[in-house]
Amino acid sequence: MPIETERKYLVRADDPRWRSQIRATRVLRQGYLSPDPSREVRVRVVGDTAPLS
């Protein structure tokens, strides 16, 4: 099974240069489902549908 690497970056709100690089936006909702604490099941919903990949 592949390993997912998640990276997070802090964007400074007072620096407007990054805003000019935005090409599109989407609303994303995310939740975690699993009764077993040693396993993680993540569900992401974009708009009204959940992607299959």
Side-chain angles (χ1 to χ4, degrees):
M1 175 178 271
I3 296 174
E4 178 180 337
T5 302
E6 185 170 318
R7 293 181 173 88
K8 297 178 183 181
Y9 299 93
L10 179 62
V11 178
R12 292 178 49 145
D14 60 345
D15 185 353
R17 292 178 291 175
W18 62 269
R19 292 186 186 272
S20 67
Q21 302 299 312
I22 297 173
R23 301 289 181 247
T25 61
R26 296 184 287 174
V27 175
L28 179 89
R29 292 182 293 164
Q30 176 172 290
Y32 294 89
L33 307 171
S34 180
D36 183 351
S38 67
R39 302 213 180 252
E40 182 177 285
V41 179
R42 180 170 43 194
V43 177
R44 288 182 176 163
V45 178
V46 178
D48 293 328
T49 61
L52 297 176
S53 60

